């Protein structure tokens, strides 16, 4: 296990280097950069341009340098913990993403807990009680969750929350708490607004997880070792939890690699619809405005979380399922 982990950590280095090159090239593909776009917008509006500041920013961040030198400056800053400077917000990236990253973590963690808490009991029940009334009813609700667009559900829940509970439209807190220090009143306002994005983001994930868990568990329940366990007199509950369920959740353990970056990025489209102050909406804005350092830092952080998540999922699968081995052995 130790040797495998060290080898995977070593291979993460060239993987992240290759990802950083791809990210930088994609961000640089549109013509121009943020400053040239900014100057063009000011000229179109008939406003003056501070040429000295534009020249200073170009020189400081190397925007007038060749692309390979710009990449080395950006990647070297990342290694030193310098995420760069956001041209659009005129703030260092590290200062800009603090509160947004915290709120994104809160929404994503609660959404993940909601998804697993709802999906696992329902998925197990529908598999054990196959073709029952409860199975048909819950499966029908699951299909509705899969078929309903998230943005449409978001609009409906925003309207319902405003009419029934008086919750303000959009955002993750009441307007009077925006930009204010954290207090118990602000925490209560966040909790009052939190359930709408959690339900919206978690609905489709919950419905998909129910269908996957039901299918996986039904497949395991038909296998010979389950029949043997029943013949030996194992109780249904113990037989279900100790053997078939452990193997049926393998795909969900493998999804950890995708789960970690989702915690940070959030549901970007839903963030726009609900006007949530999360990193997803900021990432979309940075990509649209060619804010290179902000977009690049976000994407590299997501890439790092993906690579680490894949390693954790592989290690967890090896610990959970005895059929999986980290080291291949030659057949004799």
């Amino acid at each position: 296990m130790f040797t495998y982990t060290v080898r995977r950590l070593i291979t993460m280095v060239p993987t992240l280097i290759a990802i950083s090159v791809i990210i930088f090239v994609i961000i640089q593909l549109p013509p121009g950069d943020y400053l040239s776009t900014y100057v063009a917008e000011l000229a179109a509006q008939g406003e003056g341009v501070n040429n000295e500041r534009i020249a200073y920013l170009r020189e400081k961040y190397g925007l007038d340098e060749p692309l390979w030198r710009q990449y080395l400056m950006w990647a070297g800053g990342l290694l030193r913990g310098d995420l760069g400077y956001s041209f659009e917000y005129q703030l260092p990236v590290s200062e800009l993403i603090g509160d947004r990253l915290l709120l994104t973590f809160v929404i994503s963690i609660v959404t993940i807990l909601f998804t697993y808490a709802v999906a696992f009991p329902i998925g197990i029940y529908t598999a054990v009680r196959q073709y029952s009334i409860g199975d048909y009813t819950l499966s029908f609700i699951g299909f509705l969750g899969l078929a309903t667009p998230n943005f449409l559900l978001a609009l409906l829940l925003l309207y319902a929350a405003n009419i029934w509970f008086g919750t303000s439209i959009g955002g993750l807190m009441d307007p009077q708490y925006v930009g204010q220090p954290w207090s118990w009143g602000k925490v209560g306002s966040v909790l009052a607004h939190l359930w709408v994005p959690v339900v919206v983001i978690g609905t489709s994930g919950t419905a998909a997880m129910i269908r996957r868990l039901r299918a996986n568990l039904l497949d395991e329940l038909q296998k010979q070792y389950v029949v043997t366990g029943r013949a030996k007199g194992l109780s249904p509950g113990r037989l279900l939890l100790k053997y078939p369920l452990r193997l049926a959740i393998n795909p969900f353990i493998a999804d950890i690699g995708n789960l970690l970056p989702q915690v940070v990025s959030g549901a970007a489209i839903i963030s726009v619809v609900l006007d949530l102050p999360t990193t997803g909406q900021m990432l979309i804005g940075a990509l649209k405005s060619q804010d290179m350092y902000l977009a690049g830092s976000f994407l590299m952080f997501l890439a790092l979380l993906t690579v680490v998540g894949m390693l954790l999922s592989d290690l967890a699968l090896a610990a959970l399922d005895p059929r999986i081995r980290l080291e291949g052995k030659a057949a004799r």
Side-chain angles (χ1 to χ4, degrees), residues 24 27 37 39 61 77 133-134 151 207 225 229 234 246 255 295 297 308 318 328:
F24 183 81
I27 292 177
T37 304
V39 171
Y61 293 102
I133 296 178
F151 69 88
Y225 71 89
L234 287 177
R246 286 180 58 189
D255 282 345
S297 299
V308 173

Side-chain angles (χ1 to χ4, degrees), residues 24-83:
F24 183 81
V25 170
I26 292 177
I27 292 177
Q28 294 292 341
L29 281 179
D33 52 36
Y34 176 80
L35 294 180
S36 59
T37 304
Y38 177 67
V39 171
E41 289 179 355
L42 290 180
Q45 296 171 3
E47 300 181 13
V49 179
N50 189 339
N51 293 322
E52 293 182 358
R53 178 169 178 78
I54 297 298
Y56 168 75
L57 290 176
R58 285 191 178 279
E59 180 180 358
K60 181 178 180 180
Y61 293 102
L63 297 180
D64 53 352
E65 298 285 348
L67 288 181
W68 65 270
R69 191 181 295 273
Q70 292 186 41
Y71 168 77
L72 292 179
M73 293 175 60
W74 171 64
L78 292 178
L79 293 176
R80 297 191 303 269
D82 180 11
L83 301 181

